[in-house]
Amino acid sequence: MTDNSNKVAIVTGASGGIGAAIAERLARDGFTVVVNYAGNAAPAEALVARIEGNGGRAVAAQADIADPVAVARLFDTAQAAFGGVDVLVNNAGVMQLATIAESDDALFDRQVAINLKGVFNTLREASRRLRDGGRIVNISSSVTGLLQPTYGVYAATKAAVEAMTSVLTKELRGRNITVNAIAPGPTATKLFLDGKPQEVIDRLAKMAPLERLGQPEDIAAAVAFLAGPDAAWINGQTLRANGGII
């Protein structure tokens, strides 16, 4: 296995769900992990303790990614603690579902602020500060292909993330930094399961040919691939990690 012991990864929204699985997997692969969280420190600190208990290195860092000043401070924290940043995983996001007709301004503004502006904030900072040879992995969603009713605003923010992914690859020419996105399908996280009746969850689990929901560890494995040496020739792509649902 390639030595990642001198490499530093920031994972946004890493205190639970897919983000926590990504942070744990990257730590197992040897990365030093900056566990970003927005508000509740306790789960992030517990994750850091778990990583360190398993022999890894991690630090928790608070930042609301919708705030560009906070994002700059997040990178400052990584720089001060570990000397720089090699990997950015843009995992933080929110999902609020409603038809377009029933979507109010608050629903639209919150998802755009976090899912789109937040990713823009971190990509802008990473473009300036990521060490050459680094990796950026953005978390999109397979709803950009499924395009179901009630997902209009959420899907729009994720489609924009995929567009920025492709553009940024070209803007980072000459620095050996890859930029890719992963588009999970239905994944068994609190974000996905909250508010859904069991029959809806069961139906969604059967939609993919593999006939199950994704697990956070499935997505973390895909991130680990894109962050590692075997993905050095993968650039500007969106990988649909969804069990074949689309």
Side-chain angles (χ1 to χ4, degrees), residues 153-183:
V153 175
Y154 180 75
T157 64
K158 293 300 188 178
V161 167
E162 292 184 12
M164 286 196 295
T165 298
S166 296
V167 169
L168 190 56
T169 60
K170 300 170 179 68
E171 294 177 348
L172 295 178
R173 176 184 293 274
R175 293 179 56 193
N176 197 28
I177 295 172
T178 65
V179 190
N180 293 288
I182 291 174

Side-chain angles (χ1 to χ4, degrees), residues 81-235:
F82 306 118
V85 180
D86 302 281
V87 174
L88 168 67
V89 181
N90 265 316
N91 168 76
V94 294
M95 180 169 61
Q96 296 173 271
L97 304 183
T99 65
I100 289 173
E102 294 170 339
S103 295
D104 59 19
D105 289 350
L107 178 150
F108 181 90
D109 290 346
R110 181 163 188 255
Q111 292 187 95
V112 168
I114 297 171
N115 298 354
L116 178 52
K117 179 69 184 326
V119 170
F120 165 76
N121 287 336
T122 59
L123 292 180
R124 178 170 57 183
E125 205 67 31
S127 298
R128 298 167 177 171
R129 300 175 66 167
L130 214 65
R131 290 190 280 224
D132 289 357
R135 302 277 193 269
I136 297 173
V137 183
N138 297 320
I139 303 299
S140 178
S141 170
S142 287
V143 301
T144 59
L146 291 166
L147 299 173
Q148 311 105 303
T150 75
Y151 285 83
V153 175
Y154 180 75
T157 64
K158 293 300 188 178
V161 167
E162 292 184 12
M164 286 196 295
T165 298
S166 296
V167 169
L168 190 56
T169 60
K170 300 170 179 68
E171 294 177 348
L172 295 178
R173 176 184 293 274
R175 293 179 56 193
N176 197 28
I177 295 172
T178 65
V179 190
N180 293 288
I182 291 174
T187 305
T189 65
K190 186 174 184 294
L191 176 73
F192 173 77
L193 297 172
D194 269 3
K196 289 186 175 69
Q198 189 59 45
E199 70 86 12
V200 171
I201 293 168
D202 293 342
R203 176 169 53 80
L204 289 167
K206 290 290 186 182
M207 283 177 67
L210 298 181
E211 295 192 328
R212 67 173 176 86
L213 292 177
Q215 297 298 315
E217 292 74 19
D218 295 320
I219 312 308
V223 171
F225 165 65
L226 290 177
D230 288 342
W233 194 233
I234 311 299
N235 197 19

Side-chain angles (χ1 to χ4, degrees), residues 42-74:
E45 307 233 340
L47 175 58
V48 168
R50 201 156 64 242
I51 288 171
E52 291 182 336
N54 290 323
R57 287 209 308 168
V59 64
Q62 189 279 331
D64 176 357
I65 64 165
D67 176 0
V69 174
V71 169
R73 190 173 63 243
L74 174 63

